[in-house]
Amino acid sequence: MNQDFFMRNRAHVASRVKDNSILILFSGKSVQKSADELYPFSVNRNFYYLTGLDYEGAILLVEKKDAGVKETLFIEAGSEHKEKWNGKMLTSKEAKEISGVEQVKYLENFYPELERYLRTGKFTDVYLDLERYGWNVAVSLEQSFAEEIKSKYPHILLNDIYHQICELRTRKYPEEVELIRKALECANSGFQSMLSNTHIGVMEYELEAHFDFAIKRLGSKMAYAPIVGGGINATIMHYIKNNQEVKDGDLILADVGAEYHYYKSDITRTFPANGRFSARQRKIYDIVLKAELDTIACIKPGVRHGYLNEVTCNVLAQGLRDLGVIVEDSELEKYYFYNVSHYLGLDTHDVGAYDVLRPGMVLTVEPGIYLPDESLGIRIEDNVLVTEDGYEILSKDIIRTADEIEAFMAAR
């Protein structure tokens, strides 16, 4: 991704804020885990979307005054001592080259600069990324900063820019789609490694390790906590223990994704431990596959996102009625209990309003049937790009049908 991408994104965001205002975004900081150990740093995705920087402690300040825009990045000053411990630090030159922001200063200048802006009385509004996922979620760095501004400068009006940035992120530019394609190539390699090493008695965490090693060899990493569940564990939607032995007759559900330059893939495949689907397993598998393909076929601009789940439910209900598993459609929720699709991008469950589909959106399609009484869970998930006149299955190269899976496992 070159600096033009981030400059364009900043211009779009700047056009959405009032005149005589300031936009401030933080890259974030590592969170304490225990004692002197920290959780690995993960950059705020909206900050990354506007700057391309994945360095801890950085701040973007955008001043919009008299219809003109001035941008400043604040980064940590270089330290020979810190570099001995943690490696090379970001330089002003590198920050400019990556982000396209011409003015780069050190963090020690941030508060004096902000005070200078706010005390003039010329700026009436401050915009912050005030994302909040739930009432009981811990207060974020941005929210604490908002309280600080409110107490020191009560005349300043605080605004949340989060949803405006999310709206922009729902449409993926070609360079973003290419990174998702790369993430899918990595995931395909990982999935094939799992299939190649599947056998009766294998541990779920061994299969996870095969996926992890294969994608890391390609410069990728896990997009999220992987789900690798055999037998009854495949019926648990977000099973992540991955610590049980796979037995003969089990189906293994692997919901795994690779992340490449922060862009995600999110794939689920279900396959037999012994290399062959039983007649019952194949019948259920084919119902799920039909639901997926019929749902994908409906994807095009202007379609309501919620309509996709209606299609999925109709196909799954018909299939389970034909098998005698249910009598009434209302019984389907016992065996399928979520929405078939979510957005995909810088986050696995990517941001944005779920209204109508538009070109450039990337979404998952992931129907499933879960029969705990039979220790049988099947989900099939692909990643789909909404095009100008329809769709493209970005994950089409990852084998999907029961015949393809059995043929691959037989040829190992």
Side-chain angles (χ1 to χ4, degrees), residues 356-372:
V356 298
L357 302 182
R358 290 175 287 133
M361 288 180 167
V362 177
L363 46 141
T364 66
V365 177
E366 48 182 304
I369 292 175
Y370 308 90
L371 305 170

Side-chain angles (χ1 to χ4, degrees), residues 25-45:
L25 291 181
F26 298 86
S27 70
K29 293 183 178 179
S30 298
V31 177
Q32 182 187 15
K33 186 175 185 180
S34 179
D36 63 350
E37 184 180 2
L38 302 174
Y39 286 103
F41 170 69
S42 185
V43 69
N44 177 284
R45 296 304 190 263

Side-chain angles (χ1 to χ4, degrees), residues 300-320:
K300 62 181 179 180
V303 170
R304 287 186 300 106
H305 186 271
Y307 176 68
L308 302 182
N309 200 54
E310 295 173 18
V311 174
T312 295
C313 288
N314 288 337
V315 176
L316 294 180
Q318 180 65 56
L320 291 182

Side-chain angles (χ1 to χ4, degrees), residues 9 16 54 56 59 66 71 78 83-84 139 150 157 187 201 205 237 252 262 300 334 373 378:
N9 292 343
R16 285 163 166 75
D54 59 354
E56 189 171 358
I59 304 172
D66 300 328
E71 303 170 336
E83 289 190 344
K84 285 180 178 179
V139 173
K150 194 158 50 175
L157 180 62
Y205 54 70
M237 189 65 188
I252 303 164
Y262 283 110
K300 62 181 179 180
K334 298 178 185 177
D373 291 345
I378 296 172

Side-chain angles (χ1 to χ4, degrees), residues 141-348:
L141 171 67
E142 292 82 0
Q143 289 158 358
S144 295
F145 180 73
E147 288 298 323
E148 197 174 358
I149 289 181
K150 194 158 50 175
S151 66
K152 291 178 167 57
Y153 298 92
H155 62 285
I156 293 294
L157 180 62
L158 295 175
N159 302 269
D160 184 11
I161 196 66
Y162 172 74
H163 293 287
Q164 287 93 324
I165 299 177
C166 292
E167 180 189 352
L168 292 171
R169 282 175 51 187
T170 58
R171 175 181 180 252
K172 305 300 185 291
Y173 289 101
E175 51 264 58
E176 294 178 278
V177 176
E178 287 309 306
L179 290 178
I180 295 173
R181 290 185 199 276
K182 182 62 179 178
L184 283 164
E185 289 176 15
C186 296
N188 192 15
S189 178
F191 174 62
Q192 290 186 13
S193 181
M194 293 177 78
L195 277 185
S196 297
N197 289 280
T198 295
H199 57 83
I200 298 166
V202 70
M203 300 298 291
E204 293 165 345
Y205 54 70
E206 291 181 77
L207 296 178
E208 174 188 332
H210 284 295
F211 182 88
D212 188 39
F213 179 69
I215 67 172
K216 281 180 176 173
R217 290 185 65 204
L218 299 174
S220 182
K221 63 180 180 180
M222 290 285 195
Y224 50 87
I227 298 166
V228 184
I232 187 67
N233 296 331
T235 68
I236 302 170
M237 189 65 188
H238 284 164
Y239 171 77
I240 58 172
K241 291 183 178 179
N242 302 350
N243 61 1
Q244 298 299 304
E245 180 181 339
V246 174
K247 296 180 173 56
D248 191 13
D250 281 351
L251 287 186
I252 303 164
L253 186 154
D255 186 333
V256 287
E259 175 185 303
Y260 191 80
H261 290 199
Y262 283 110
Y263 283 83
K264 321 281 190 181
S265 59
D266 182 3
I267 294 297
T268 306
R269 292 293 186 264
T270 308
F271 48 95
N274 60 18
R276 300 286 297 180
F277 290 90
S278 70
R280 174 70 167 179
Q281 290 169 347
R282 183 180 274 262
K283 285 179 181 178
I284 302 294
Y285 191 94
D286 286 345
I287 292 170
V288 176
L289 181 59
K290 176 174 170 51
E292 189 203 28
L293 295 178
D294 284 6
T295 303
I296 291 174
C298 295
I299 293 176
K300 62 181 179 180
V303 170
R304 287 186 300 106
H305 186 271
Y307 176 68
L308 302 182
N309 200 54
E310 295 173 18
V311 174
T312 295
C313 288
N314 288 337
V315 176
L316 294 180
Q318 180 65 56
L320 291 182
R321 284 200 310 272
D322 291 345
L323 288 181
V325 175
I326 65 174
V327 176
E328 303 292 336
D329 286 2
S330 60
E331 298 175 74
L332 176 64
E333 64 183 18
K334 298 178 185 177
Y335 310 107
Y336 169 75
F337 38 82
Y338 56 89
N339 195 302
V340 75
S341 174
H342 60 78
Y343 296 142
L344 185 68
L346 283 170
D347 287 298
T348 304

